[in-house]
Amino acid sequence: MNEYYNNHYITTDPEGRITSGWCEGPCPSRDTSGAVCINEAGGYQFRLHPGGEENPPLYTEDGIPLYRWEGERVVRRSEEEVQADRAAIPPPPPSEQERLRADVDFLAAMQGVTL
């Protein structure tokens, strides 16, 4: 019996955090330039480890990578690593409503009005 295998790939950022993962089964024409093949004998669905979860989430709900590549294997990042990334996220800019409120407060202060 002839079995067909699919390659599984990941891409990483400069710190080794896994930023993307896919299988050539459902993505046969995806560019693999700069990608790392982590499994040359995988199934149709992407897995980080043989026998692991199919199409696992690669990010936390707020967009922090959950895994890193250690040159030869995928490793789950520690909670401390995830928290350090989370702490490095800059605060969001003020919303339109917050900017409007600041403008109203400024104008009121210029006119000597207390709100």
Side-chain angles (χ1 to χ4, degrees):
M1 182 164 109
N2 234 357
E3 286 197 49
Y4 181 77
Y5 296 105
N6 292 283
N7 293 334
H8 294 197
Y9 296 95
I10 58 167
T11 56
T12 62
D13 65 10
E15 288 80 36
R17 296 174 294 204
I18 295 176
T19 57
S20 181
W22 71 96
C23 172
E24 69 183 353
C27 304
S29 60
R30 184 162 175 179
D31 182 15
T32 58
S33 302
V36 176
C37 181
I38 60 171
N39 188 354
E40 294 178 345
Y44 185 77
Q45 297 296 327
F46 174 74
R47 297 173 191 260
L48 287 168
H49 307 283
E53 177 184 1
E54 285 187 353
N55 303 310
L58 300 179
Y59 292 91
T60 63
E61 290 181 6
D62 53 345
I64 307 295
L66 289 169
Y67 300 92
R68 71 176 182 277
W69 176 244
E70 287 195 340
E72 292 189 20
R73 65 187 182 116
V74 172
V75 176
R76 176 89 182 201
R77 296 178 70 220
S78 70
E79 186 59 32
E80 291 78 24
E81 290 172 301
V82 170
Q83 289 300 330
D85 281 0
R86 190 170 283 127
I89 296 173
S95 68
E96 185 66 34
Q97 183 177 2
E98 291 167 327
R99 287 192 301 270
L100 179 59
R101 179 62 200 196
D103 289 345
V104 168
D105 289 347
F106 175 76
L107 291 172
M110 293 300 292
Q111 295 177 8
V113 176
T114 308
L115 296 178

